[in-house]
Amino acid sequence: MKKSPIPTLLSIILVCALTACAAKEAPSGTRFAADKSATGTTAGVTKQTSPANSEPRTLTYLNKTYTVKAPTDKIVIAGAMESMEDALVLGVQPIGAITTGGKFPELFKPITSSSQSVGEKMQPNMEAILKLKPDVILGSTKFPAEASEKLAKLGPMIPVSHIATNWEDNLRLIGELTGKQAQAEQILKKYKEDVSSAKTQIGEKWKGKKIVTVRIRTGSLFIYPADVFLNPTIYGELGFAVPEEVKAAKAQQNISLEQFSAMNPDAVFLQFSEDENMEQLNALKDLQKNPIWLSTNAAKNNKIFVNVVDPLAQGGASWSKINFLKAAVEKLSN
């Protein structure tokens, strides 16, 4: 005698109904955690971001509190070249970043292969930033209030300090935003160890000597205060004496060749970028042939070092400091 299919059919319907109900009542977090096929490495499938990682949270930067989604890879660097250097050091690829002369500088090539341009330095493109829908926008303390206010309307915006002495806080900020806090701390620890080693290696040799950093911009020679540009490394960390002319500088300050000659430095670190001297491209060559320039101790002893780090480097940011310290030790050891 044939068995009736009805009980079996009813059982199947009941199981299906219970399964559907369970799926409907399961919280979304549980569903993401259990559905490994949706978040795995299957080719052609975009990896999902854990909901826990997308929750807004507060972080403190330079005594101010900001609410952002972190960790995140949806970062736009809209003005601070310091942030570009920090991203480079930590291997962070921003979804949007500033360009120089319409392109990303070669220095930042490792982190900008998939980045979209969001305008030039100090000239952010608001429409381009809005299209990217960033979780956080990194501006600059150099921005006027009006520009910062406009950026803040596009998403959470943090004005990143351009002051060289805040470089550790800047690096930690990128680390916290991207979940790379441990890596940032390792870099800072290594830098301090390298400074200590450098002081032992070159400190006595250059004790009492005058070391100066200068920059050619728009064809003119500039010096900087002791806490600006490359100077914090030379004077603050390596401990070399601050020349009176540097002490007197309140900001980037033009200095004549005659004034520079009167300083008579024993070593000079000179930075020159064609991008900053478009109308005086021969400024460096002309300077190197000038008799007044050649009369200094640094020139006579072949201790003028040109572009020991990329000329577009900020000087007081992480990539600049790490690489300048290495170069300074190398040059001053010979």
Side-chain angles (χ1 to χ4, degrees), residues 61 86 163-173 184-185 188 191-192 237 316 318 321:
Y61 166 67
D86 294 334
I163 305 301
T165 49
N166 289 329
W167 78 279
E168 293 184 37
D169 294 291
N170 290 352
L171 184 64
R172 287 188 172 109
L173 173 64
E185 292 304 324
L188 293 173
Y191 182 79
K192 289 178 173 63
E237 292 161 355
S318 59
K321 291 185 72 67

Side-chain angles (χ1 to χ4, degrees), residues 180-221:
K180 295 192 174 188
Q181 298 98 317
Q183 185 179 339
E185 292 304 324
Q186 288 173 357
I187 290 168
L188 293 173
K189 180 175 181 290
K190 175 68 164 55
Y191 182 79
K192 289 178 173 63
E193 291 171 350
D194 289 345
V195 167
S196 179
S197 175
K199 289 171 76 173
T200 301
Q201 186 173 341
I202 63 177
E204 281 301 315
K205 181 177 181 179
W206 287 87
K207 188 175 182 180
K209 301 288 187 179
K210 189 179 293 186
I211 302 175
V212 179
T213 66
V214 294
R215 196 175 195 171
I216 300 176
R217 305 183 100 171
T218 61
S220 298
L221 200 62

